[in-house]
Amino acid sequence: LENASNLRTLELGDNLFQGAIPDWISNLSQLVELKLDFNQFSSSIPTQLGDLTNLATLWLNDNDLTGQIPSQLINLVNLADAQFHETELSGDLNSIFCEPENSMSTLTADCGGVDPSVNCTCCTLCL
């Protein structure tokens, strides 16, 4: 897979994959959809995902991901659907996704409740 540079869709959701999200995913430069939801990925989101500038869909929800949501994701100018909820991620999505030039149709994160781990004023759903 890591040499499939023309791959446009990678759906690996609900497979119980563990460990870190592989760095080589950033080599898939033509990806439009990356769905890694409902696994057991841990560690942080690789900053290299910000190099996938064709991405329109990024689902990382329902994983054991930790750390800050990388600011490099601001480079994903075509992103319309991003899901980060049900993780251990933290940080401020406002400076990454809530700028006026970003028109996200779906943005979910753990930004609800009394003490949310994520700050997001433009999320379409806060859990």
Side-chain angles (χ1 to χ4, degrees), residues 44-45 47 58 60 66-73 84-85 87-93 96-97 107-110 117-119:
S44 58
I45 297 173
T47 58
L58 176 61
L60 299 178
T66 60
Q68 297 281 315
I69 296 169
S71 61
Q72 289 84 349
L73 298 186
F84 300 103
H85 62 278
T87 65
E88 299 299 319
L89 295 169
S90 60
D92 189 350
L93 292 183
I96 302 171
F97 297 116
L107 179 58
T108 66
D110 295 321
S117 59
V118 174
N119 183 26

Side-chain angles (χ1 to χ4, degrees), residues 53-110:
T53 56
N54 292 317
L55 270 186
T57 302
L58 176 61
W59 292 1
L60 299 178
N61 57 290
D62 294 276
N63 276 291
D64 298 325
L65 296 168
T66 60
Q68 297 281 315
I69 296 169
S71 61
Q72 289 84 349
L73 298 186
I74 198 169
N75 298 327
L76 304 179
V77 295
N78 295 307
L79 198 61
D81 181 358
Q83 300 188 24
F84 300 103
H85 62 278
E86 300 297 328
T87 65
E88 299 299 319
L89 295 169
S90 60
D92 189 350
L93 292 183
N94 293 325
S95 61
I96 302 171
F97 297 116
C98 299
E99 299 299 319
E101 60 273 6
N102 291 349
S103 57
M104 303 282 292
S105 60
T106 305
L107 179 58
T108 66
D110 295 321

Side-chain angles (χ1 to χ4, degrees), residues 7-82:
L7 191 68
R8 296 182 51 80
T9 300
L10 183 59
E11 292 188 30
L12 297 175
D14 207 9
N15 280 296
L16 301 177
F17 289 125
Q18 299 178 348
I21 295 173
D23 290 339
W24 58 258
I25 286 181
S26 65
N27 296 338
L28 307 176
S29 59
Q30 299 304 309
L31 271 185
V32 175
E33 290 188 9
L34 178 58
K35 297 180 179 179
L36 302 177
D37 54 318
F38 292 98
N39 281 295
Q40 296 174 0
F41 285 114
S42 55
S43 191
S44 58
I45 297 173
T47 58
Q48 297 91 336
L49 288 187
D51 296 336
L52 298 174
T53 56
N54 292 317
L55 270 186
T57 302
L58 176 61
W59 292 1
L60 299 178
N61 57 290
D62 294 276
N63 276 291
D64 298 325
L65 296 168
T66 60
Q68 297 281 315
I69 296 169
S71 61
Q72 289 84 349
L73 298 186
I74 198 169
N75 298 327
L76 304 179
V77 295
N78 295 307
L79 198 61
D81 181 358

